[in-house]
Amino acid sequence: MSRPKKKKKGAVRNAIDAHGWVGLVISVPLFIVFWAGAITLFYPEVQRWASLPHFPLQASDRSAGLSAAVDEAIARNEFDPSRRLSINLPGEYTPYLRISMPVYDSPDIAAKARAERILRRETVSAGGDPKDVVIDDPAPRSRQWRNVLVDPGSGEILTDNSPFKLARFLDRLHYSLMLPQGLYIVGVMTFFFLVIVFTGIVIQFKNMIRNFFLYRHGKTLRYKMNDLHNVVGVISLPYGLMYALTGLMFNLSIVFQLPMLLFVFDGDRNALAEAAGFGRASQAVSYVEKPMPDLNVLLAQLESQSNAKIRSIRIHNYGDQNALIRFTGLEQGSFDSYIDRIYDHSVDAFPAHLNEDETNIMSDGTSLLFSVHMGTFAGVDLRLIYFLLAMGFCAMIIAGNVLWIAKRNKKQEYPKTLRVTRGLTLGGCVGVVPATALAFLLERVLPLRLEGRDDWVMWGFGLMLLLSVVFAFFNGSYKRFIAHACCFSVVILAMLVLVDVLWFGTTLAGLWVQGFHQPLAVTASLAMCLAALAYTAFRLLAGESGEEKPAMLAVKQPQHS
Amino acid sequence: MWAKTLIGFLVSLLLYASVAVNVLHLLPLPQDILLLIAFVGGFLFWGVAMTVFYCADSLWRPLCYGLALLTVSAGVNCLFYFNVLGVAV
């Protein structure tokens, strides 16, 4: 007796199944990544909105002495000179002079490390080798970082550790979901997003042109969601493909590096880094003290010679004879021509062997792709387009979830499983909106001196997301749930806008007059989001009590006789 | 779907790594260009290979094709790795 042959479903049918299944599984992290990424496009603006009302500036210039500011910042903190010190110059990304420095965990550890350094210096001055110095219980390396904010005009230190971490939190949420090994988790998820894009192309290939603008307004929610999903998906296809590919490259480059390292470069990491154009110059600490050069002089010299705007300075082996000072910036009038110059303190010059102008297609290509990913190659208008496309993607993810749940609602199978899925997917996705609103509110109202202020913002976000999942689990109608989530976000945003107007209104207006437009622009954007969410909630609640209620929306409970 | 996902992911990943290494050995272009081609093109290849797994009716056919291709590609890897062709790695 022959076994009955399994009926073939065809590539498109299989692609639809895979598209829906993979999409549902990764919907929540994908939504968070897109949502946080959309806000991260305005990282400088959010950062300025958070910090400038608390520490207003008169003007963002570079008149203050850089070296004096760095010396003062080091004197006020337990700086670990064995690690890198970074300086972000005031400009497009920060209005302040920001000094990021590694600091020891406690003054005792700092004192111990200082004693070890003195011992090694004495050994060197006596003609010995610092490596010969054996210390039984060496001081542990620094594990904390401090971001010192300096007024670039007066040189006054505004705070020893910037408490404004919202923009950074959203950025980290974007690329790592704030999880351990999150970089790789997001990388794998991005790979499946790439697969979703490809399966979407397989599904829509024949109808891509014919149904390009098809949107059946008068039909049921399922048709509308289907059309929304398809139209946004097809229109934003190049954007989605670019994001999937570049995101994969940034987060999962390890799967490329490993085989290259093992089978092409014989395990030599430096050779691979050199071939890829990412070789890093380094020098061992000499344990010979030498006063650091005037950074303002070096900066002015480099900017005039290279016709470039330097954005950041990184100093290795600070205070040592073998210190290296690395200047990075952008050539004037260019969007992807970065300059990278290294000053060798031991020879008091920018030596040719550390500053060879070699074109490397790999490093140039990846920095170009990074610019494309972050939308940094044009002005605010491009970032707004990116933002709208990202929001379109978020809407598409919600539409995909609604489609999947509506289909299962109709069949009335496994109501408990359906509730869990609805809670985890729809609750997880939609809950990100009020969670972000709450994070913004906490960033604004929490006292600056509060211990673990950034943790409060992070926990506020996480708890709101969890509450949303629980609420979605118990809420029978997902249309009502989305409307309630919008209403809740509106309330939080209204409080935020009120706080901005009542507490910081005068400061924000003053900043606007002085040319710092971003803080007020962000407040206005939040007010616009409030209006858009209120309108969405109103439409959803009106629709819920209207004609479509019996069709698809309510979760039908199993009927008991 | 879980079987397709797990097996497809692993096989396409190995295939991607093997083909990317061969691209670096076989194409007569400067190393930085080859690295970029392998980097960008490799990820696209990986995504397409995974899509093939999902679009197939059963797991066996793409698995057989994938393993056959992987065997050939890994064989070429070995030729280069053990310097059989007299070409320095």
Side-chain angles (χ1 to χ4, degrees):
Chain A
M1 222 176 127
S2 61
R3 276 176 68 186
K5 277 191 176 176
K6 202 176 172 182
K7 194 182 171 187
K8 285 187 177 178
K9 289 201 288 186
V12 175
R13 191 67 244 170
N14 289 322
I16 290 171
D17 287 347
H19 190 83
W21 187 83
V22 177
L24 193 77
V25 170
I26 66 164
S27 62
V28 177
L30 191 65
F31 187 94
I32 296 174
V33 166
F34 264 102
W35 180 267
I39 302 172
T40 302
L41 286 167
F42 298 98
Y43 186 105
E45 284 78 11
V46 173
Q47 189 65 26
R48 283 170 189 235
W49 169 83
S51 57
L52 273 173
H54 291 285
F55 299 120
L57 296 175
Q58 295 303 314
S60 188
D61 59 24
R62 299 181 184 179
S63 54
L66 259 177
S67 297
V70 172
D71 287 340
E72 193 184 342
I74 286 173
R76 290 166 63 133
N77 294 283
E78 304 289 0
F79 169 58
D80 176 2
S82 68
R83 303 185 69 187
R84 189 187 72 196
L85 179 140
S86 303
I87 304 165
N88 284 91
L89 299 170
E92 193 185 336
Y93 287 96
T94 170
Y96 306 104
L97 176 66
R98 200 179 69 194
I99 303 167
S100 305
M101 58 168 68
V103 291
Y104 290 109
D105 291 359
S106 69
D108 293 341
I109 296 174
K112 198 173 174 185
R114 209 175 296 122
E116 287 171 18
R117 268 198 309 279
I118 290 168
L119 188 63
R120 288 202 167 93
R121 276 179 196 150
E122 284 170 357
T123 311
V124 170
S125 59
D129 189 340
K131 286 176 188 168
D132 294 340
V133 178
V134 179
I135 295 160
D136 293 335
D137 184 21
R141 288 186 83 193
S142 55
R143 288 177 299 181
Q144 297 175 20
W145 284 80
R146 287 225 174 127
N147 289 306
V148 182
L149 297 185
V150 182
D151 184 332
S154 65
E156 179 200 353
I157 290 188
L158 301 168
T159 172
D160 275 326
N161 197 12
S162 169
F164 311 109
K165 303 279 172 63
L166 174 68
R168 179 80 186 124
F169 163 67
L170 291 169
D171 187 30
R172 288 181 64 192
L173 199 64
H174 169 59
Y175 67 78
S176 73
L177 294 171
M178 299 291 287
L179 295 173
Q181 302 301 322
L183 193 74
Y184 305 122
I185 295 171
V186 172
V188 171
M189 190 213 70
T190 312
F191 169 70
F192 282 102
F193 172 55
L194 181 69
V195 174
I196 286 179
V197 173
F198 284 148
T199 49
I201 293 171
V202 172
I203 297 163
Q204 287 292 320
F205 192 70
K206 283 185 181 170
N207 302 326
M208 210 177 272
I209 306 295
R210 198 178 59 195
N211 294 346
F212 191 64
F213 289 113
L214 180 71
Y215 184 71
R216 289 162 285 190
H217 185 260
K219 295 278 183 177
T220 59
L221 184 75
R222 193 174 159 198
Y223 279 107
K224 282 187 199 172
M225 287 290 160
N226 194 24
D227 292 344
L228 171 74
H229 191 82
N230 294 345
V231 168
V232 175
V234 171
I235 289 174
S236 59
L237 179 62
Y239 169 84
L241 195 58
M242 177 275 288
Y243 261 124
L245 191 60
T246 49
L248 192 55
M249 287 163 59
F250 299 139
N251 280 48
L252 224 55
S253 62
I254 192 162
V255 300
F256 170 78
Q257 289 168 10
L258 277 178
M260 292 298 147
L261 199 59
L262 288 174
F263 296 104
V264 182
F265 292 93
D266 281 344
D268 187 350
R269 289 172 68 180
N270 290 335
L272 174 60
E274 281 293 326
F278 296 109
R280 270 191 268 175
S282 62
Q283 271 190 158
V285 191
S286 68
Y287 292 101
V288 176
E289 274 188 293
K290 185 178 176 185
M292 295 298 287
D294 189 333
L295 291 173
N296 280 87
V297 172
L298 289 179
L299 193 67
Q301 179 192 339
L302 195 60
E303 284 192 332
S304 65
Q305 278 175 1
S306 313
N307 189 29
K309 181 94 173 164
I310 300 298
R311 287 177 173 175
S312 65
I313 303 170
R314 287 171 195 155
I315 307 176
H316 303 258
N317 306 336
Y318 188 91
D320 191 85
Q321 182 181 263
N322 279 356
L324 290 178
I325 309 174
R326 186 171 187 169
F327 296 84
T328 50
L330 204 59
E331 278 181 21
Q332 300 277 18
S334 159
F335 69 85
D336 74 327
S337 286
Y338 292 95
I339 75 145
D340 192 347
R341 295 285 180 272
I342 297 170
Y343 179 85
D344 187 348
H345 192 33
S346 62
V347 293
D348 292 323
F350 291 91
H353 71 278
L354 292 176
N355 296 289
E356 288 167 1
D357 271 329
E358 280 184 358
T359 305
N360 188 299
I361 300 293
M362 176 71 182
S363 62
D364 291 353
T366 43
S367 56
L368 175 71
L369 288 170
F370 186 76
S371 297
V372 172
H373 185 93
M374 299 302 291
T376 53
F377 58 89
V380 180
D381 45 357
L382 178 90
R383 286 190 280 150
L384 273 174
I385 294 170
Y386 268 39
F387 179 81
L388 291 175
L389 283 166
M391 287 296 127
F393 255 93
C394 290
M396 196 167 69
I397 293 167
I398 302 243
N401 280 355
V402 169
L403 271 175
W404 193 92
I405 294 167
K407 197 176 169 184
R408 269 74 192 170
N409 268 355
K410 204 176 176 183
K411 289 181 183 172
Q412 295 191 36
E413 290 171 348
Y414 311 111
K416 278 185 183 170
T417 314
L418 191 61
R419 277 186 172 200
V420 172
T421 314
R422 189 183 57 225
L424 287 176
T425 57
L426 207 56
C429 292
V430 178
V432 174
V433 182
T436 310
L438 184 67
F440 268 80
L441 181 65
L442 291 174
E443 175 78 343
R444 178 56 94 215
V445 298
L446 286 177
L448 296 186
R449 293 186 181 277
L450 181 72
E451 191 69 28
R453 190 177 187 269
D454 48 335
D455 292 337
W456 280 87
V457 174
M458 194 177 75
W459 282 107
F461 182 94
L463 279 175
M464 181 59 81
L465 193 59
L466 187 67
L467 274 177
S468 173
V469 170
V470 174
F471 193 58
F473 178 81
F474 288 110
N475 200 327
S477 160
Y478 45 80
K479 200 171 185 180
R480 204 183 320 132
F481 164 71
I482 297 172
H484 286 164
C486 288
C487 288
F488 204 63
S489 309
V490 166
V491 172
I492 299 170
L493 285 176
M495 287 162 67
L496 177 58
V497 173
L498 264 178
V499 166
D500 266 5
V501 172
L502 297 176
W503 289 4
F504 297 100
T506 318
T507 315
L508 289 171
L511 285 166
W512 179 277
V513 171
Q514 280 159 16
F516 295 106
H517 300 145
Q518 297 92 342
L520 197 58
V522 171
T523 305
S525 307
L526 290 170
M528 287 193 318
C529 291
L530 184 158
L533 285 166
Y535 177 74
T536 310
F538 172 75
R539 288 296 303 265
L540 283 167
L541 288 173
E544 162 118 302
S545 56
E547 76 268 345
E548 286 183 359
K549 190 179 179 181
M552 302 303 305
L553 304 174
V555 172
K556 293 171 186 166
Q557 299 297 331
Q559 292 179 352
H560 301 286
S561 55
Chain B
M1 203 61 83
W2 281 110
K4 268 187 183 179
T5 304
L6 293 173
I7 295 172
F9 185 82
L10 278 175
V11 172
S12 56
L13 172 63
L14 290 173
L15 200 55
Y16 149 71
S18 174
V19 170
V21 168
N22 281 334
V23 163
L24 250 87
H25 280 132
L26 292 170
L27 289 184
L29 288 168
Q31 210 166 34
D32 55 341
I33 298 177
L34 286 175
L35 278 171
L36 190 65
I37 290 171
F39 195 40
V40 181
F43 281 124
L44 281 172
F45 173 83
W46 187 17
V48 169
M50 187 74 203
T51 308
V52 170
F53 270 88
Y54 276 133
C55 289
D57 276 311
S58 75
L59 181 61
W60 294 109
R61 182 174 281 205
L63 183 62
C64 291
Y65 283 128
L67 288 177
L69 198 58
L70 182 61
T71 311
V72 174
S73 184
V76 179
N77 290 151
C78 289
L79 291 180
F80 283 108
Y81 190 73
F82 295 110
N83 206 8
V84 176
L85 300 175
V87 181
V89 176

